[in-house]
Amino acid sequence: MSLANGGPPGSGGVPRGSAPWLRWAAVSMVAGGCAMFVLDVGGLFASAARVYFGLVNPAVGVVQILILFGCVGLWSDHALGGSLLARTGLALAILGLALLAVANLLSPFGELWVFDAGATVLVPLGFLLAGVAAIRHHVWHGWERCLPLVVGLLPVLVVFPTLALGNTSWTTSPWTQAGVGLWGLAFALLGWAEFREPPLEPVRVTERRRRRR
């Protein structure tokens, strides 16, 4: 079945009548996640990691805007179910990504550690909430079903422990750089799932209206 034509819930494909910008939001997240992987893993091969990230941080900020745009698409089309928990979680993640993007874009002028600290809490927390909502409401199927929760768990289980154990900054910790790169791949997969899976909440609303008639 063509992705352009869409299909019934869970069959994959962007649904007929969906706003064209939602397709671009999904593609944006795929591109942002892949670029996040490349930029962060690139630090593993840099002779001076701190200098490398000082140069590429503004580009990382642009990447985070791409991922943010994908999250706005998820929030707008109720892709994770449209429940209060899902929408609250995505709103927190969007706010956190916006803080990260601003911090990285303005990093040549100084560190905005308050923005970084807020984003460190908001992005994982947001995706944990949205991921739980997605699983509870069975909005996606197969391997896509757990992806939002995985995006929320990765920094908690991989990135933060490597920082704590290494007792160093993320720009000088190769394990942390690899963990953030892995997080980028998770975002890319989430964007691909967003592209494949039709938004289910509008379908459910339509079904409820039909039953009332």
Side-chain angles (χ1 to χ4, degrees):
M1 181 177 291
S2 170
L3 286 177
N5 292 333
S11 66
V14 178
R16 293 185 181 91
S18 61
W21 76 268
L22 293 176
R23 296 172 61 89
W24 288 109
V27 172
S28 173
M29 183 176 283
V30 173
C34 291
M36 181 176 171
F37 172 80
V38 171
L39 290 174
D40 280 283
V41 173
L44 297 174
F45 305 97
S47 56
R50 192 178 294 276
V51 174
Y52 169 81
F53 282 106
L55 294 174
V56 304
N57 269 348
V60 173
V62 174
V63 164
Q64 286 156 349
I65 290 174
L66 293 176
I67 295 174
L68 185 155
F69 183 40
C71 290
V72 171
L74 288 172
W75 186 88
S76 179
D77 70 358
H78 304 275
L80 301 184
S83 67
L84 178 62
L85 184 63
R87 290 174 70 79
T88 300
L90 284 172
L92 292 176
I94 289 168
L95 176 59
L97 286 166
L99 292 176
L100 269 181
V102 171
N104 281 293
L105 287 171
L106 298 181
S107 61
F109 307 100
E111 292 186 8
L112 298 177
W113 64 268
V114 175
F115 282 36
D116 285 328
T120 299
V121 175
L122 291 174
V123 178
L125 175 61
F127 274 104
L128 287 173
L129 295 177
V132 169
I135 292 174
R136 283 181 58 189
H137 295 283
H138 305 280
V139 293
W140 284 354
H141 304 276
W143 61 270
E144 296 102 331
R145 183 180 177 191
C146 296
L147 267 179
L149 188 60
V150 169
V151 171
L153 285 173
L154 269 176
V156 177
L157 298 180
V158 178
V159 179
F160 299 160
T162 58
L163 280 175
L165 293 174
N167 194 27
T168 182
S169 71
W170 71 274
T171 58
T172 56
S173 169
W175 290 107
T176 305
Q177 293 163 20
V180 176
L182 184 63
W183 197 23
L185 288 182
F187 275 116
L189 287 173
L190 183 62
W192 175 243
E194 180 182 359
F195 187 86
R196 291 184 69 248
E197 291 285 348
L200 300 187
E201 186 64 17
V203 174
R204 288 173 177 161
V205 170
T206 302
E207 289 176 349
R208 285 198 293 268
R209 288 174 179 171
R210 287 174 179 172
R211 289 172 190 164
R212 291 173 184 171
R213 290 176 182 173

